Amino acid sequence: MTPPLALSLGEPAGIGPEIVARAWAALRDGGPTFVVIGDARLVEAGGAPVAAVFDPAEARSAFPRAVPVIDLPTAVPATPGRPDPANAGCVADWIARAVDLAMDGSAAGVVTAPIAKAPLYAAGFPFPGHTEFIADLTGDLPYDGTRGPVMMLTARDLKVALVTIHTPLAEVPELITADRVIRTARVVHETLRRDFGVARPRLALAGLNPHAGEGGSLGLEEVEVLGPSAAALRAEGIEITDPLAADTLFHEEARAAYDAAICLYHDQALIPVKTIDFWGGVNVTLGLPVVRTSPDHGTGFEIAGKGVARADSLIAAIRLGAEMAARRRGLK
């Protein structure tokens, strides 16, 4: 029987506890089953009954009646909308515990509720975010494939992967190198086959400049880096386009021509995802030895504790995490 997913509770002063409670209410009858790693009091305050468990194996029997929680209390009480760096260590510990459970096979994969970076940084957290932290935690675990991490966002029929992520726009061109583009495309190609069941992935490569550079008249990146990278990938047997104008890459007819788009910077990827499905997008980390998904939104401090937060994205992340984990285990 497939183990449950391990769900780290995220920022204790954010909407994490509320959306976890709502996700459980939506999934309690049919699953997928998850076990929360975090403060049980916060989940209960979010509006759901709680069952304290000590092992993920206990989660399946508890799930229909309550949220199973491996209870790791916060250092100080959490106030909705008011993050406290004193709880940053707890947030990091919840993520690490969830990853440990996935690495030892006790959990099928990891789902992460949103974190707030400012209080983590104030407490000395040395990683840019979830993605890099989880990559570090899993760094010693063997992995059969091209190593990530690569960030992918999914929404309905669109999958976009990023060559650069939280990078100032002025710094993006110098980071668009052949090595980065080729590695990102390899990771996406392998992941589509292994975790999404796509036998022959078709990749689209976005251009950096307007009109994909117009043959070099509007920028040279397409001529000097992106085009040669695409040619090298095709020589490896990966189906990928030459760089395409990003302004015509994401409409419905265009999306039917590829399985995932390789995008070059944050907004190039996230604007179409959030336009197509603002509430239901999912963040997936590719190229790691554990499955990791997350809702595609932040901590929602401005609405935390008000009972209005929507769990659509978290529910989608849980479902996708379970599907990916099942494929890795050969169960789908």
Side-chain angles (χ1 to χ4, degrees), residues 8 69 122 168 223 237 252 305:
S8 60
V69 181
V223 175
E252 185 175 5

Side-chain angles (χ1 to χ4, degrees), residues 115-118 120-121 125-133 136 165-166:
I115 58 173
K117 293 172 183 173
L120 287 169
Y121 296 159
F125 186 70
F127 301 95
H130 263 131
T131 301
E132 297 81 3
F133 184 34
D136 183 75
I165 305 175
H166 296 112

Side-chain angles (χ1 to χ4, degrees), residues 28-104:
R28 60 183 294 187
D29 292 329
T33 301
F34 59 83
V35 57
V36 172
I37 316 300
D39 191 319
R41 296 169 301 176
L42 292 174
V43 178
E44 195 167 35
V50 167
V53 299
F54 297 96
D55 188 283
E58 304 172 59
R60 193 166 299 279
S61 61
F63 197 74
R65 60 181 172 81
V67 181
V69 181
I70 295 178
D71 187 23
L72 301 175
T74 57
V76 298
T79 302
R82 298 181 182 180
D84 191 329
N87 284 326
C90 302
V91 173
D93 288 347
W94 296 343
I95 299 166
R97 180 68 179 275
V99 171
D100 284 345
L101 293 172
M103 288 196 297
D104 71 18

Side-chain angles (χ1 to χ4, degrees), residues 99 102-103 108-110 134 138 141 143 285 287-292 328:
V99 171
M103 288 196 297
V110 176
I134 295 173
T138 59
L141 201 65
Y143 179 66
T285 304
L288 296 183
V290 300
V291 169
R292 182 260 171 157
R328 283 203 183 185

Side-chain angles (χ1 to χ4, degrees), residues 18-287:
E18 299 169 61
I19 61 174
V20 165
R22 286 178 170 78
W24 169 79
L27 300 172
R28 60 183 294 187
D29 292 329
T33 301
F34 59 83
V35 57
V36 172
I37 316 300
D39 191 319
R41 296 169 301 176
L42 292 174
V43 178
E44 195 167 35
V50 167
V53 299
F54 297 96
D55 188 283
E58 304 172 59
R60 193 166 299 279
S61 61
F63 197 74
R65 60 181 172 81
V67 181
V69 181
I70 295 178
D71 187 23
L72 301 175
T74 57
V76 298
T79 302
R82 298 181 182 180
D84 191 329
N87 284 326
C90 302
V91 173
D93 288 347
W94 296 343
I95 299 166
R97 180 68 179 275
V99 171
D100 284 345
L101 293 172
M103 288 196 297
D104 71 18
S106 300
V110 176
V111 180
T112 57
I115 58 173
K117 293 172 183 173
L120 287 169
Y121 296 159
F125 186 70
F127 301 95
H130 263 131
T131 301
E132 297 81 3
F133 184 34
I134 295 173
D136 183 75
L137 291 170
T138 59
D140 293 332
L141 201 65
Y143 179 66
D144 184 18
T146 305
R147 198 84 182 209
V150 168
M151 180 185 288
M152 173 184 279
L153 287 303
T154 72
R156 297 184 188 174
D157 63 343
L158 177 62
K159 296 180 179 65
V160 292
L162 286 81
V163 175
T164 68
I165 305 175
H166 296 112
T167 301
L169 196 56
E171 299 174 14
V172 167
E174 67 184 52
L175 296 177
I176 303 301
T177 63
D179 285 346
R180 282 176 177 263
V181 173
I182 290 171
R183 181 181 66 86
T184 300
R186 286 174 181 158
V187 171
V188 174
H189 174 82
E190 293 168 11
T191 300
L192 288 173
R193 294 184 63 186
R194 181 187 59 241
D195 295 339
F196 288 87
V198 181
R200 298 185 63 182
R202 303 164 301 160
L203 305 183
L205 177 61
L208 176 66
N209 296 296
H211 303 174
E214 287 277 13
S217 62
L218 294 178
L220 295 175
E221 286 82 3
E222 286 77 10
V223 175
E224 296 179 348
V225 178
L226 298 176
S229 297
L233 288 161
R234 287 192 292 269
E236 297 179 8
I238 294 175
E239 184 176 339
I240 187 168
T241 68
D242 283 326
L244 301 173
D247 64 347
T248 58
L249 189 55
F250 301 108
H251 64 85
E252 185 175 5
E253 185 177 343
R255 297 198 303 271
Y258 58 83
D259 298 299
I262 308 299
C263 295
L264 304 179
Y265 56 92
H266 184 275
D267 285 8
Q268 187 181 66
L270 271 69
I271 287 173
V273 165
K274 294 191 176 185
T275 300
I276 288 169
D277 189 0
F278 183 77
W279 298 108
V282 178
N283 181 345
V284 189
T285 304
L286 313 184

